[in-house]
Amino acid sequence: MTFSFTNAQTIEEEVAKKSCECIQSKRSPEGQITSPEIKKCVSKSGDEVLRSKDPQEVKRLTKNMEEVVARLKTVYQLVEKCLPRIDA
């Protein structure tokens, strides 16, 4: 059980890392990025990471919608760290 949790965390970190790389490449000259662009980066990165994994592992990771949502929330929390600061 511990192994599968560690493995899932690694996938979340991998998706977040790729998402942050995408976000950095899409930022405007002023350093800003729109919410739809962020969502595209996260979605594209998630697809890339899952395609690189064993199909059985992907099936296990995506069969429970509540777990998928929880993983996605974690990815977005990690991605927040690489987003540009917004001065209010």
Side-chain angles (χ1 to χ4, degrees):
M1 192 70 144
T2 304
F3 175 75
S4 65
F5 177 75
T6 304
N7 207 8
Q9 185 64 36
T10 301
I11 286 177
E12 294 161 4
E13 291 172 350
E14 196 174 338
V15 172
K17 181 181 177 198
K18 284 186 171 287
S19 297
C20 287
E21 290 169 358
C22 176
I23 288 166
Q24 294 302 321
S25 72
K26 303 280 185 187
R27 288 171 63 173
S28 71
E30 298 79 30
Q32 299 302 310
I33 186 166
T34 64
S35 183
E37 288 172 317
I38 294 168
K39 289 177 184 177
K40 282 182 193 175
C41 283
V42 172
S43 178
K44 179 182 170 198
S45 298
D47 288 346
E48 288 175 12
V49 169
L50 288 177
R51 276 195 299 250
S52 73
K53 302 298 177 192
D54 178 66
Q56 289 296 83
E57 182 181 6
V58 172
K59 190 181 240 182
R60 181 183 56 79
L61 291 169
T62 59
K63 70 179 179 181
N64 181 324
M65 187 53 74
E66 288 177 6
E67 289 178 13
V68 171
V69 170
R71 280 191 192 90
L72 198 52
K73 285 180 182 179
T74 301
V75 167
Y76 272 99
Q77 288 172 343
L78 293 169
V79 166
E80 279 181 5
K81 296 175 184 174
C82 72
L83 294 177
R85 289 268 184 233
I86 299 173
D87 298 326

XYZ file of all heavy atoms in Angstrom:
694
model
N 0.828 -1.196 0.000
C 0.000 0.000 0.000
C 0.863 1.248 0.000
O 0.587 2.177 -0.716
C -0.926 -0.021 1.212
C -1.991 1.023 1.127
S -3.168 0.585 -0.148
C -4.641 1.157 0.578
N 1.908 1.273 0.788
C 2.794 2.432 0.833
C 3.430 2.665 -0.530
O 3.540 3.797 -0.986
C 3.909 2.233 1.882
O 3.289 1.970 3.118
C 4.770 3.459 1.988
N 3.802 1.597 -1.217
C 4.436 1.736 -2.523
C 3.518 2.430 -3.515
O 3.943 3.333 -4.223
C 4.830 0.352 -3.066
C 5.373 0.426 -4.466
C 6.650 0.912 -4.710
C 4.598 0.029 -5.542
C 7.139 0.992 -5.992
C 5.083 0.102 -6.830
C 6.353 0.582 -7.056
N 2.264 2.056 -3.550
C 1.350 2.676 -4.508
C 1.122 4.152 -4.185
O 1.012 4.965 -5.087
C 0.018 1.929 -4.574
O -0.661 2.033 -3.352
N 1.111 4.509 -2.906
C 0.955 5.921 -2.549
C 2.178 6.713 -2.994
O 2.065 7.777 -3.577
C 0.744 6.091 -1.046
C 0.663 7.534 -0.635
C -0.483 8.261 -0.890
C 1.730 8.172 -0.044
C -0.560 9.605 -0.544
C 1.664 9.506 0.302
C 0.516 10.222 0.052
N 3.359 6.170 -2.744
C 4.593 6.836 -3.151
C 4.618 6.990 -4.658
O 4.978 8.030 -5.186
C 5.819 6.027 -2.686
O 5.727 5.856 -1.286
C 7.107 6.714 -3.031
N 4.210 5.955 -5.360
C 4.178 5.987 -6.809
C 3.218 7.067 -7.307
O 3.540 7.812 -8.225
C 3.773 4.607 -7.331
C 4.312 4.338 -8.710
O 5.105 5.109 -9.237
N 3.883 3.247 -9.284
N 2.044 7.170 -6.691
C 1.065 8.180 -7.077
C 1.624 9.574 -6.832
O 1.437 10.475 -7.643
C -0.241 7.975 -6.327
N 2.297 9.772 -5.718
C 2.885 11.075 -5.421
C 3.898 11.443 -6.491
O 3.975 12.572 -6.921
C 3.528 11.060 -4.027
C 4.047 12.417 -3.604
C 2.943 13.444 -3.462
O 1.848 13.117 -3.031
N 3.207 14.664 -3.838
N 4.692 10.487 -6.928
C 5.690 10.730 -7.959
C 5.012 11.198 -9.242
O 5.498 12.117 -9.888
C 6.513 9.446 -8.224
O 7.135 9.053 -7.012
C 7.552 9.670 -9.277
N 3.920 10.602 -9.586
C 3.188 11.005 -10.787
C 2.667 12.433 -10.621
O 2.760 13.240 -11.540
C 2.052 10.006 -11.104
C 2.673 8.724 -11.674
C 1.039 10.604 -12.063
C 1.713 7.631 -11.962
N 2.145 12.770 -9.459
C 1.675 14.133 -9.209
C 2.817 15.134 -9.366
O 2.649 16.178 -9.993
C 1.070 14.231 -7.819
C -0.193 13.419 -7.665
C -0.550 13.126 -6.230
O 0.135 13.603 -5.312
O -1.543 12.400 -6.037
N 3.969 14.797 -8.804
C 5.123 15.687 -8.917
C 5.594 15.799 -10.361
O 5.972 16.878 -10.812
C 6.265 15.194 -8.022
C 5.962 15.349 -6.551
C 7.006 14.698 -5.656
O 7.879 13.961 -6.153
O 6.919 14.926 -4.442
N 5.548 14.698 -11.072
C 5.965 14.696 -12.475
C 5.032 15.567 -13.319
O 5.491 16.361 -14.148
C 5.976 13.253 -12.990
C 6.731 13.064 -14.270
C 6.848 11.596 -14.671
O 6.720 10.699 -13.810
O 7.055 11.362 -15.871
N 3.734 15.444 -13.096
C 2.766 16.275 -13.815
C 2.969 17.744 -13.467
O 2.969 18.610 -14.345
C 1.312 15.831 -13.521
C 0.307 16.826 -14.107
C 1.050 14.438 -14.064
N 3.175 18.031 -12.192
C 3.380 19.422 -11.766
C 4.648 20.003 -12.386
O 4.655 21.147 -12.840
C 3.448 19.503 -10.241
N 5.713 19.217 -12.424
C 6.970 19.696 -13.006
C 6.784 20.032 -14.479
O 7.186 21.093 -14.945
C 8.062 18.639 -12.838
C 9.400 19.072 -13.394
C 10.451 18.006 -13.233
C 11.735 18.487 -13.889
N 12.664 17.431 -14.150
N 6.168 19.121 -15.229
C 5.919 19.377 -16.649
C 4.983 20.569 -16.833
O 5.153 21.364 -17.757
C 5.333 18.137 -17.331
C 6.335 17.061 -17.617
C 5.685 15.951 -18.431
C 6.689 14.957 -18.924
N 7.520 15.437 -20.005
N 3.999 20.686 -15.965
C 3.064 21.813 -16.036
C 3.798 23.127 -15.834
O 3.558 24.099 -16.560
C 1.962 21.667 -14.982
O 1.193 20.515 -15.211
N 4.679 23.162 -14.857
C 5.438 24.391 -14.584
C 6.348 24.748 -15.756
O 6.490 25.924 -16.100
C 6.243 24.247 -13.297
S 5.202 24.316 -11.817
N 6.941 23.747 -16.378
C 7.771 23.999 -17.564
C 6.920 24.605 -18.682
O 7.328 25.556 -19.348
C 8.431 22.705 -18.032
C 9.504 22.208 -17.089
C 9.978 20.801 -17.386
O 9.455 20.145 -18.329
O 10.881 20.324 -16.667
N 5.735 24.062 -18.881
C 4.809 24.571 -19.890
C 4.395 26.003 -19.559
O 4.398 26.886 -20.425
C 3.587 23.660 -19.978
S 2.299 24.218 -21.110
N 4.061 26.241 -18.311
C 3.640 27.578 -17.867
C 4.748 28.595 -18.113
O 4.494 29.697 -18.608
C 3.209 27.544 -16.382
C 1.869 26.826 -16.259
C 3.134 28.956 -15.790
C 1.491 26.416 -14.845
N 5.975 28.222 -17.794
C 7.099 29.134 -18.012
C 7.234 29.489 -19.489
O 7.521 30.634 -19.837
C 8.411 28.519 -17.495
C 8.454 28.330 -16.003
C 8.241 29.619 -15.225
O 8.718 30.673 -15.586
N 7.478 29.521 -14.149
N 6.998 28.522 -20.363
C 7.139 28.776 -21.802
C 5.983 29.599 -22.370
O 6.124 30.215 -23.418
C 7.255 27.455 -22.563
O 6.015 26.776 -22.599
N 4.839 29.621 -21.682
C 3.644 30.322 -22.173
C 3.456 31.704 -21.570
O 2.560 32.435 -21.983
C 2.386 29.497 -21.874
C 2.370 28.106 -22.430
C 2.014 28.115 -23.870
C 1.898 26.668 -24.363
N 1.714 26.603 -25.780
N 4.273 32.068 -20.599
C 4.102 33.363 -19.934
C 4.345 34.506 -20.916
O 5.198 34.415 -21.787
C 5.050 33.484 -18.748
C 4.612 32.598 -17.597
C 5.607 32.516 -16.502
N 5.838 33.811 -15.885
C 6.568 33.993 -14.797
N 7.143 32.958 -14.222
N 6.733 35.185 -14.296
N 3.611 35.580 -20.731
C 3.769 36.772 -21.556
C 5.097 37.445 -21.220
O 5.714 37.132 -20.201
C 2.614 37.741 -21.293
O 2.755 38.321 -20.006
N 5.521 38.405 -22.049
C 6.755 39.145 -21.730
C 6.702 39.813 -20.352
O 7.734 40.016 -19.719
C 6.845 40.191 -22.839
C 6.098 39.587 -23.979
C 4.988 38.778 -23.347
N 5.503 40.139 -19.889
C 5.340 40.734 -18.555
C 5.341 39.676 -17.460
O 5.246 39.997 -16.281
C 4.035 41.540 -18.479
C 3.948 42.719 -19.436
C 3.594 42.308 -20.863
O 2.879 41.299 -21.051
O 4.047 42.992 -21.790
N 5.402 38.407 -17.850
C 5.447 37.325 -16.875
C 4.094 36.776 -16.476
O 3.994 35.979 -15.558
N 3.026 37.170 -17.164
C 1.678 36.737 -16.803
C 1.232 35.556 -17.666
O 1.767 35.313 -18.741
C 0.692 37.896 -16.958
C 1.009 39.094 -16.072
C 1.036 38.731 -14.600
O 0.122 38.117 -14.083
N 2.121 39.110 -13.927
N 0.232 34.849 -17.175
C -0.374 33.740 -17.905
C -1.841 33.666 -17.495
O -2.181 33.935 -16.343
C 0.354 32.404 -17.628
C -0.217 31.286 -18.519
C 0.324 32.050 -16.155
C 0.648 30.043 -18.563
N -2.705 33.312 -18.431
C -4.135 33.246 -18.146
C -4.498 31.893 -17.526
O -3.789 30.901 -17.705
C -4.979 33.449 -19.412
O -4.726 32.364 -20.313
C -4.659 34.777 -20.096
N -5.630 31.887 -16.846
C -6.124 30.658 -16.229
C -6.364 29.546 -17.261
O -5.982 28.397 -17.022
C -7.402 30.964 -15.442
O -7.868 29.822 -14.793
N -6.986 29.861 -18.427
C -7.159 28.791 -19.425
C -5.830 28.209 -19.916
O -5.739 27.002 -20.160
C -7.898 29.486 -20.568
C -8.615 30.623 -19.922
C -7.705 31.078 -18.820
N -4.801 29.048 -20.021
C -3.492 28.539 -20.441
C -2.900 27.623 -19.374
O -2.282 26.609 -19.696
C -2.537 29.702 -20.737
C -2.888 30.439 -22.005
C -2.056 31.704 -22.191
O -1.867 32.449 -21.209
O -1.602 31.926 -23.321
N -3.099 27.966 -18.113
C -2.619 27.117 -17.012
C -3.315 25.762 -17.081
O -2.671 24.712 -16.982
C -2.855 27.791 -15.651
C -1.988 29.047 -15.519
C -2.595 26.821 -14.502
C -2.351 29.948 -14.356
N -4.632 25.783 -17.259
C -5.389 24.528 -17.327
C -4.934 23.673 -18.498
O -4.817 22.450 -18.376
C -6.891 24.821 -17.424
C -7.458 25.361 -16.133
C -8.919 25.708 -16.262
C -9.430 26.346 -14.973
N -10.816 26.766 -15.076
N -4.646 24.306 -19.649
C -4.149 23.555 -20.814
C -2.810 22.908 -20.508
O -2.568 21.764 -20.884
C -3.998 24.478 -22.027
C -5.286 24.801 -22.724
C -5.002 25.676 -23.949
C -6.263 26.278 -24.494
N -5.996 27.206 -25.604
N -1.941 23.651 -19.833
C -0.624 23.103 -19.474
C -0.767 21.895 -18.548
O -0.099 20.875 -18.750
C 0.234 24.180 -18.807
S 0.955 25.386 -19.944
N -1.626 21.991 -17.547
C -1.815 20.885 -16.605
C -2.419 19.676 -17.325
O -1.955 18.544 -17.157
C -2.683 21.313 -15.401
C -3.044 20.118 -14.536
C -1.962 22.373 -14.571
N -3.411 19.917 -18.165
C -4.059 18.832 -18.893
C -3.077 18.139 -19.843
O -2.971 16.902 -19.863
C -5.250 19.385 -19.680
O -5.855 18.376 -20.430
N -2.359 18.930 -20.603
C -1.387 18.389 -21.556
C -0.301 17.609 -20.817
O 0.076 16.517 -21.235
C -0.759 19.528 -22.356
C 0.279 19.101 -23.343
C 0.875 20.307 -24.054
C 2.079 19.891 -24.872
N 2.924 21.003 -25.232
N 0.180 18.142 -19.722
C 1.228 17.477 -18.943
C 0.732 16.168 -18.349
O 1.443 15.160 -18.355
C 1.729 18.409 -17.839
O 2.292 19.571 -18.406
N -0.501 16.183 -17.837
C -1.088 14.954 -17.300
C -1.196 13.880 -18.364
O -0.865 12.712 -18.119
N -1.638 14.272 -19.554
C -1.735 13.318 -20.667
C -0.369 12.737 -21.012
O -0.229 11.527 -21.196
C -2.330 13.988 -21.910
C -3.809 14.287 -21.785
O -4.460 13.750 -20.860
O -4.318 15.059 -22.614
N 0.646 13.604 -21.093
C 1.994 13.148 -21.438
C 2.531 12.166 -20.399
O 3.100 11.130 -20.750
C 2.947 14.336 -21.550
C 2.730 15.189 -22.773
C 3.617 16.422 -22.796
O 4.564 16.516 -21.975
O 3.362 17.303 -23.641
N 2.346 12.489 -19.127
C 2.856 11.619 -18.062
C 2.130 10.275 -18.088
O 2.768 9.221 -18.025
C 2.735 12.300 -16.676
C 3.008 11.305 -15.551
C 3.687 13.484 -16.590
N 0.820 10.293 -18.208
C 0.068 9.035 -18.222
C 0.414 8.180 -19.436
O 0.497 6.960 -19.338
C -1.435 9.300 -18.151
C -1.943 9.790 -16.800
C -3.433 10.091 -16.877
C -1.653 8.791 -15.689
N 0.631 8.812 -20.589
C 1.009 8.049 -21.789
C 2.370 7.387 -21.631
O 2.638 6.373 -22.286
C 1.014 8.947 -23.022
C -0.354 9.116 -23.647
C -0.239 9.704 -25.033
N 0.395 11.011 -24.959
C -0.196 12.164 -25.180
N -1.445 12.182 -25.550
N 0.454 13.296 -25.078
N 3.219 7.951 -20.775
C 4.561 7.393 -20.587
C 4.567 6.229 -19.593
O 5.593 5.570 -19.432
C 5.520 8.487 -20.105
O 5.276 8.827 -18.749
N 3.450 5.986 -18.933
C 3.363 4.944 -17.905
C 2.790 3.653 -18.480
O 2.155 3.629 -19.523
C 2.482 5.406 -16.733
C 2.957 6.679 -16.069
C 4.330 6.510 -15.466
C 4.823 7.817 -14.872
N 6.236 7.766 -14.539
N 3.001 2.584 -17.729
C 2.451 1.285 -18.073
C 0.925 1.354 -18.057
O 0.344 1.925 -17.126
C 2.934 0.253 -17.052
C 2.363 -1.116 -17.308
O 2.704 -1.707 -18.344
O 1.560 -1.581 -16.466
N 0.252 0.812 -19.074
C -1.215 0.877 -19.125
C -1.915 0.317 -17.887
O -2.944 0.844 -17.464
C -1.573 0.053 -20.366
C -0.355 0.123 -21.223
C 0.809 0.195 -20.270
N -1.360 -0.720 -17.284
C -1.965 -1.278 -16.073
C -1.884 -0.280 -14.925
O -2.821 -0.140 -14.143
C -1.271 -2.587 -15.678
C -1.577 -3.736 -16.604
C -3.053 -4.109 -16.561
O -3.890 -3.503 -17.225
N -3.369 -5.118 -15.785
N -0.767 0.434 -14.820
C -0.603 1.436 -13.776
C -1.583 2.593 -14.011
O -2.219 3.085 -13.072
C 0.831 1.968 -13.751
C 1.067 2.974 -12.660
C 2.485 3.515 -12.647
O 3.278 3.202 -13.545
O 2.783 4.256 -11.700
N -1.719 2.994 -15.260
C -2.646 4.075 -15.598
C -4.068 3.674 -15.237
O -4.818 4.460 -14.645
C -2.548 4.452 -17.099
C -3.646 5.428 -17.491
C -1.177 5.027 -17.401
N -4.437 2.455 -15.547
C -5.778 1.960 -15.220
C -6.018 2.006 -13.715
O -7.060 2.455 -13.247
C -5.932 0.531 -15.742
C -7.327 -0.007 -15.685
C -7.349 -1.431 -16.215
C -8.256 -1.511 -17.384
N -8.387 -2.861 -17.934
N -5.017 1.577 -12.944
C -5.126 1.579 -11.485
C -5.249 3.009 -10.954
O -6.035 3.288 -10.058
C -3.894 0.903 -10.877
C -3.907 0.838 -9.373
C -2.635 0.230 -8.802
N -1.428 0.914 -9.215
C -0.993 2.056 -8.683
N -1.675 2.649 -7.734
N 0.130 2.605 -9.100
N -4.487 3.931 -11.537
C -4.485 5.318 -11.063
C -5.749 6.090 -11.435
O -6.103 7.052 -10.774
C -3.266 6.062 -11.630
C -1.910 5.623 -11.100
C -0.803 6.250 -11.926
C -1.766 5.986 -9.633
N -6.420 5.675 -12.491
C -7.562 6.446 -12.985
C -8.915 5.766 -12.779
O -9.939 6.316 -13.185
C -7.388 6.758 -14.492
O -7.270 5.527 -15.220
C -6.171 7.616 -14.742
N -8.948 4.624 -12.129
C -10.226 3.918 -12.007
C -11.165 4.527 -10.964
O -12.362 4.368 -11.045
C -10.016 2.434 -11.727
C -9.485 2.116 -10.364
C -9.339 0.621 -10.179
C -8.768 0.332 -8.808
N -8.596 -1.086 -8.590
N -10.629 5.246 -9.989
C -11.452 5.827 -8.930
C -11.476 7.348 -9.098
O -10.457 8.012 -8.910
C -10.876 5.444 -7.561
C -11.688 5.978 -6.411
O -12.226 7.078 -6.465
N -11.767 5.196 -5.348
N -12.625 7.901 -9.440
C -12.736 9.323 -9.735
C -12.367 10.197 -8.538
O -11.736 11.245 -8.707
C -14.147 9.656 -10.224
C -14.285 11.084 -10.711
S -13.070 11.588 -11.955
C -13.656 10.745 -13.376
N -12.717 9.788 -7.339
C -12.368 10.578 -6.149
C -10.854 10.689 -5.992
O -10.336 11.751 -5.637
C -12.998 9.973 -4.897
C -14.499 10.170 -4.838
C -15.133 9.496 -3.630
O -14.393 8.970 -2.768
O -16.362 9.503 -3.549
N -10.140 9.599 -6.269
C -8.684 9.623 -6.185
C -8.091 10.499 -7.279
O -7.107 11.209 -7.050
C -8.116 8.211 -6.274
C -8.380 7.382 -5.037
C -7.849 5.965 -5.156
O -7.054 5.676 -6.084
O -8.240 5.132 -4.320
N -8.673 10.462 -8.460
C -8.206 11.303 -9.568
C -8.365 12.776 -9.196
O -7.449 13.584 -9.388
C -8.965 10.981 -10.884
C -8.644 12.003 -11.962
C -8.633 9.574 -11.351
N -9.502 13.128 -8.648
C -9.754 14.517 -8.241
C -8.767 14.930 -7.148
O -8.203 16.033 -7.187
C -11.220 14.699 -7.782
C -11.427 16.053 -7.137
C -12.168 14.518 -8.959
N -8.515 14.049 -6.184
C -7.571 14.360 -5.116
C -6.164 14.568 -5.679
O -5.454 15.497 -5.276
C -7.563 13.244 -4.072
N -5.775 13.732 -6.638
C -4.456 13.885 -7.264
C -4.377 15.202 -8.027
O -3.363 15.903 -7.989
C -4.173 12.731 -8.215
C -3.713 11.489 -7.538
C -3.193 10.461 -8.536
N -3.047 9.210 -7.851
C -3.992 8.284 -7.758
N -5.155 8.456 -8.321
N -3.783 7.174 -7.093
N -5.443 15.535 -8.715
C -5.470 16.776 -9.485
C -5.358 17.992 -8.566
O -4.646 18.953 -8.875
C -6.743 16.836 -10.325
C -6.758 17.809 -11.484
C -5.554 17.630 -12.389
C -8.036 17.657 -12.282
N -6.027 17.942 -7.431
C -5.909 19.031 -6.452
C -4.466 19.176 -5.986
O -3.950 20.289 -5.870
C -6.826 18.782 -5.247
C -8.281 19.032 -5.542
C -9.134 18.759 -4.314
C -10.603 18.964 -4.614
N -11.452 18.687 -3.448
N -3.815 18.053 -5.743
C -2.416 18.090 -5.318
C -1.535 18.677 -6.413
O -0.656 19.492 -6.145
C -1.930 16.674 -4.936
O -2.749 16.181 -3.869
C -0.473 16.676 -4.512
N -1.791 18.291 -7.659
C -1.028 18.841 -8.784
C -1.186 20.355 -8.827
O -0.202 21.090 -8.935
C -1.463 18.203 -10.128
C -0.902 18.981 -11.308
C -1.034 16.744 -10.190
N -2.413 20.849 -8.703
C -2.644 22.293 -8.746
C -1.974 23.001 -7.560
O -1.469 24.113 -7.711
C -4.136 22.623 -8.808
C -4.653 22.654 -10.231
C -5.315 21.570 -10.776
C -4.463 23.776 -11.040
C -5.773 21.593 -12.089
C -4.923 23.810 -12.341
C -5.578 22.714 -12.864
O -6.020 22.747 -14.167
N -1.944 22.360 -6.392
C -1.244 22.963 -5.248
C 0.253 23.081 -5.536
O 0.882 24.089 -5.207
C -1.479 22.136 -3.981
C -2.874 22.256 -3.436
C -3.148 21.293 -2.287
O -2.418 20.329 -2.078
N -4.219 21.550 -1.551
N 0.813 22.071 -6.160
C 2.230 22.109 -6.516
C 2.488 23.142 -7.612
O 3.490 23.861 -7.568
C 2.704 20.719 -6.969
C 2.723 19.635 -5.904
C 2.937 18.262 -6.532
C 3.797 19.930 -4.874
N 1.583 23.229 -8.575
C 1.738 24.169 -9.686
C 1.650 25.616 -9.201
O 2.326 26.491 -9.739
C 0.689 23.879 -10.793
C 0.590 25.009 -11.791
C 1.028 22.570 -11.502
N 0.850 25.860 -8.174
C 0.722 27.229 -7.636
C 2.079 27.823 -7.280
O 2.283 29.026 -7.388
C -0.170 27.239 -6.395
C -1.632 27.226 -6.707
C -2.495 27.255 -5.449
O -1.947 27.371 -4.327
O -3.714 27.168 -5.593
N 3.018 26.980 -6.887
C 4.345 27.450 -6.475
C 5.137 28.042 -7.635
O 6.054 28.818 -7.412
C 5.126 26.314 -5.825
C 4.489 25.825 -4.543
C 5.207 24.621 -3.980
C 4.481 24.107 -2.758
N 5.043 22.875 -2.244
N 4.789 27.676 -8.858
C 5.542 28.199 -9.998
C 4.788 29.299 -10.750
O 5.284 29.806 -11.746
C 5.926 27.061 -10.961
S 4.553 26.381 -11.917
N 3.609 29.663 -10.258
C 2.843 30.714 -10.919
C 3.386 32.096 -10.559
O 3.887 32.295 -9.460
C 1.370 30.637 -10.515
C 0.608 29.395 -10.967
C -0.813 29.434 -10.441
C 0.621 29.278 -12.484
N 3.264 33.038 -11.497
C 3.720 34.407 -11.182
C 2.849 35.012 -10.087
O 1.659 34.736 -9.995
C 3.550 35.152 -12.498
C 2.632 34.332 -13.334
C 2.722 32.926 -12.829
N 3.458 35.822 -9.261
C 2.725 36.528 -8.199
C 1.852 37.593 -8.814
O 2.249 38.282 -9.740
C 3.708 37.186 -7.236
C 4.448 36.230 -6.389
C 3.674 36.053 -5.105
N 4.382 35.195 -4.186
C 3.837 34.142 -3.641
N 2.611 33.795 -3.925
N 4.515 33.404 -2.794
N 0.649 37.726 -8.269
C -0.270 38.776 -8.717
C -0.397 39.808 -7.599
O -0.785 39.470 -6.488
C -1.655 38.195 -9.060
C -1.524 37.181 -10.193
C -2.628 39.307 -9.435
C -2.792 36.431 -10.513
N -0.036 41.027 -7.901
C -0.166 42.110 -6.919
C -1.582 42.624 -6.923
O -2.079 43.061 -7.952
C 0.812 43.248 -7.228
C 2.255 42.768 -7.157
O 2.547 41.894 -6.313
O 3.075 43.260 -7.947
N -2.234 42.562 -5.777
C -3.634 43.010 -5.706
C -3.724 44.451 -5.257
O -2.887 44.992 -4.625
C -4.404 42.122 -4.740
